[in-house]
Amino acid sequence: MGFFDKIKKAFTGEQEETVEEIVETDVEQEESAEQTTEVADTAELDEGPEAVEDEGKTTLDVSEPEGTPTEVIPETETTVEELEVTLDVEPVELSEPVEVEEVAPVAPEQVPEPVAEIAEVLETDASTESEAAQKMDKGLKKTRRTFSQVLNELMANFRSVDEEFFEDLEETLITADVGFETSLRITDELRKEVKLRNAKKNSDVQKAIVEKMVEIYEENSEGENNQLNIQQGLTVMLFVGVNGVGKTTSIGKLANQYRLAGKKVLLAAADTFRAGAIDQLVVWGERAQVEVVRGNAGGDPAAVVYDAVEKAKAQEADILLVDTAGRLQNKVNLMNELEKIKRVIQREIPDGPHEVMLVVDATTGQNAMVQAKQFKETTDVTGLVLTKLDGTAKGGMVLAIRNELHIPVKLVGLGEGIDDLQPFNPNDFINGMFKELLEAK
Ligand SMILES: Nc1nc2c(ncn2[C@@H]2O[C@H](COP(=O)(O)OP(=O)(O)OP(=O)(O)O)[C@@H](O)[C@H]2O)c(=O)[nH]1
């Protein structure tokens, strides 16, 4: 069944299938047999420098890198047509308590036999398809409630769908961080659609809004790859993003997923700008039971990456996740640093890095959009990790980033727990975001 059919089915009141409960597990922080990294004892981390061996002896030329120009969708022409349609207002109850998931600690799991296809790791990991949908559904509760609520309130305030209604709708979408251009487009197309359908009832107008958003999300998706670019041999992924967005956490969660799937995983603490950042990665390395290659705070990040690549090759590792510092305060420095890191990787692994993942915090709304734009200009970002989607009413950000920047969202963070990272599935996401609206029909 196609996604639009699913949406239609939801509008006609058919029940969704029940999915199994997800059992959340955590992994105790026990040192793995292979772990050779020195780790701070406590989670409270000092910023002081540490004595760590610095084996990287790389001399690197950094040539002037070129920025990638930002693609911008041209604005749709606005044709303002007067529409006078009477609304039957049907307020819908949407409030639902936010559930806080408890994470029960369990003994470290046994590493299963390696799976044949590494590319399937994320899909074949603990979550089945329906569990993934359920998790997305749970994580998006806040986003969904607010989205549905604001649309309902908007409907309740208008007796007729006139120009004022469309202006308010536009504002509502912008407030939910759907993005300026995308909001204008949705509103413009709705003006035509509502007239075309002669939509009079509140529910018809809501239905048109949801369908238009789905349509806009799905267009341009052809040829777009939402999956991580995993190789048969060593896969190297760089993680970039400003402080506090959830970079370290996302790396830790991903490392754990691959480790549980039987992969040999290494982490590289190449965010040497802050000692705290190195220590945080080490803590996540313990949690995920994977080794962390680290250097001195203030040291050369490329040297750490060099060590990590050497180690990964020597150990025949499958996955190397590199935590970098994302300091947008100085774009040229950042660009140079990332280029230097890439050169180090490419000397050893010519087609690496296989992903440059930009991590953005969904709760920062338009700031996340600005960061994504700036990073895209600085380096060739191949995918997005959208974190903290569980704690925001600004889920519209996904639509904005996808449609205005054309960066595919590959992973979403739906909580602070080690299991709260999911591959991005557009259908689950839109279903999750509009669930109440769809069920209200
Ligand atoms: N609710 C929620 N919190 C998250 C998520 N991802 C990360 N966090 C929290 O966000 C905070 C910052 O996460 P970090 O991983 O330390 O962020 P960072 O980008 O590595 O920051 P620096 O280490 O300062 O560079 C932590 O308290 C995390 O627990 C998520 O998906 N949902």
Side-chain angles (χ1 to χ4, degrees):
M1 192 190 299
F3 185 57
F4 277 111
D5 294 334
K6 276 195 199 164
I7 295 268
K8 277 190 199 121
K9 198 174 163 193
F11 276 117
T12 55
E14 287 180 46
Q15 288 295 310
E16 281 181 32
E17 56 188 286
T18 324
V19 287
E20 288 170 29
E21 270 293 304
I22 297 170
V23 181
E24 300 266 46
T25 60
D26 198 349
V27 180
E28 270 196 339
Q29 300 178 10
E30 291 208 347
E31 221 176 310
S32 88
E34 291 166 339
Q35 190 144 342
T36 58
T37 316
E38 286 187 18
V39 180
D41 315 324
T42 64
E44 288 295 326
L45 304 164
D46 297 334
E47 298 250 336
E50 288 130 63
V52 187
E53 72 282 359
D54 185 4
E55 292 162 9
K57 296 171 187 68
T58 333
T59 319
L60 298 155
D61 301 320
V62 182
S63 63
E64 274 308 306
E66 287 172 11
T68 312
T70 309
E71 296 170 54
V72 179
I73 295 181
E75 280 186 34
T76 315
E77 258 184 48
T78 312
T79 326
V80 180
E81 290 173 58
E82 277 297 313
L83 296 167
E84 286 294 338
V85 185
T86 311
L87 278 176
D88 298 339
V89 182
E90 299 161 4
V92 183
E93 272 293 321
L94 291 165
S95 50
E96 223 180 283
V98 178
E99 280 174 28
V100 179
E101 291 177 27
E102 288 203 357
V103 182
V106 293
E109 294 184 36
Q110 277 195 324
V111 177
E113 283 299 304
V115 290
E117 277 303 315
I118 190 166
E120 289 167 11
V121 165
L122 277 179
E123 288 69 38
T124 56
D125 117 85
S127 305
T128 63
E129 217 174 280
S130 58
E131 282 169 341
Q134 193 191 44
K135 214 147 184 235
M136 184 72 86
D137 177 30
K138 261 189 181 176
L140 292 177
K141 240 173 205 166
K142 191 167 177 186
T143 292
R144 170 169 74 233
R145 208 173 57 250
T146 311
F147 234 94
S148 305
Q149 253 168 7
V150 289
L151 285 180
N152 264 293
E153 279 161 19
L154 183 69
M155 298 292 171
N157 284 339
F158 281 87
R159 302 292 315 170
S160 64
V161 180
D162 52 16
E163 187 45 35
E164 204 184 332
F165 167 82
F166 285 114
E167 276 167 19
D168 272 28
L169 174 65
E170 199 171 279
E171 209 179 302
T172 302
L173 294 174
I174 291 170
T175 310
D177 278 315
V178 168
F180 187 67
E181 289 170 33
T182 310
S183 300
L184 287 193
R185 238 187 98 193
I186 291 174
T187 320
D188 282 343
E189 291 186 22
L190 269 173
R191 282 190 179 92
K192 294 173 205 150
E193 194 74 18
V194 166
K195 196 178 180 192
L196 200 75
R197 293 185 190 193
N198 195 20
K200 287 191 167 69
K201 289 202 328 204
N202 180 339
S203 57
D204 291 340
V205 177
Q206 282 197 3
K207 186 178 167 188
I209 293 171
V210 173
E211 284 185 356
K212 192 48 72 185
M213 289 183 115
V214 173
E215 199 181 301
I216 288 181
Y217 190 88
E218 291 205 326
E219 70 181 24
N220 300 325
S221 62
E222 224 168 285
E224 189 176 89
N225 191 1
N226 289 322
Q227 312 271 313
L228 291 170
N229 177 24
I230 302 296
Q231 307 296 301
Q232 282 300 328
L234 176 63
T235 301
V236 184
M237 298 188 211
L238 293 189
F239 286 77
V240 299
V242 301
N243 288 342
V245 288
K247 237 180 328 147
T248 315
T249 309
S250 300
I251 291 171
K253 290 170 179 174
L254 194 61
N256 188 57
Q257 289 187 19
Y258 282 120
R259 200 260 312 160
L260 286 174
K263 300 297 146 200
K264 170 80 186 154
V265 185
L266 271 183
L267 307 183
D271 180 355
T272 56
F273 192 62
R274 279 194 324 118
I278 301 173
D279 292 332
Q280 273 164 16
L281 191 71
V282 170
V283 168
W284 268 103
E286 280 196 314
R287 267 184 215 164
Q289 300 175 44
V290 301
E291 187 178 344
V292 181
V293 178
R294 59 183 292 181
N296 290 320
D300 182 359
V304 177
V305 175
Y306 174 81
D307 285 350
V309 171
E310 289 296 299
K311 202 160 213 167
K313 282 176 73 180
Q315 295 183 356
E316 297 185 348
D318 301 299
I319 307 279
L320 172 60
L321 307 177
V322 181
D323 189 11
T324 69
R327 297 190 303 281
L328 281 173
Q329 293 90 317
N330 188 334
K331 227 164 153 182
V332 177
N333 278 358
L334 174 69
M335 201 190 290
N336 286 343
E337 184 175 308
L338 292 175
E339 287 303 317
K340 192 172 169 184
I341 288 174
K342 280 187 192 168
R343 277 163 188 265
V344 168
I345 294 169
Q346 280 160 3
R347 273 191 196 174
E348 301 298 320
I349 305 157
D351 61 341
H354 306 98
E355 289 281 4
V356 179
M357 301 294 289
L358 172 63
V359 186
V360 291
D361 176 344
T363 63
T364 61
Q366 280 305 308
N367 249 344
M369 183 64 155
V370 170
Q371 282 165 26
K373 266 187 183 148
Q374 290 180 331
F375 270 97
K376 199 181 168 186
E377 285 162 14
T378 309
T379 189
D380 52 349
V381 175
T382 57
L384 215 74
V385 185
L386 200 59
T387 61
K388 311 185 194 180
L389 260 180
D390 53 304
T392 180
K394 294 172 180 287
M397 181 50 54
V398 173
L399 282 160
I401 291 180
R402 161 74 173 277
N403 290 299
E404 293 176 26
L405 298 182
H406 301 279
I407 306 174
V409 180
K410 296 197 174 182
L411 296 167
V412 289
L414 294 166
E416 292 186 83
I418 198 161
D419 294 328
D420 296 328
L421 186 79
Q422 290 239 315
F424 181 68
N425 176 322
N427 286 2
D428 286 352
F429 180 79
I430 295 179
N431 264 322
M433 197 157 150
F434 296 116
K435 195 170 175 231
E436 267 100 16
L437 267 184
L438 298 172
E439 284 175 351
K441 302 285 102 45

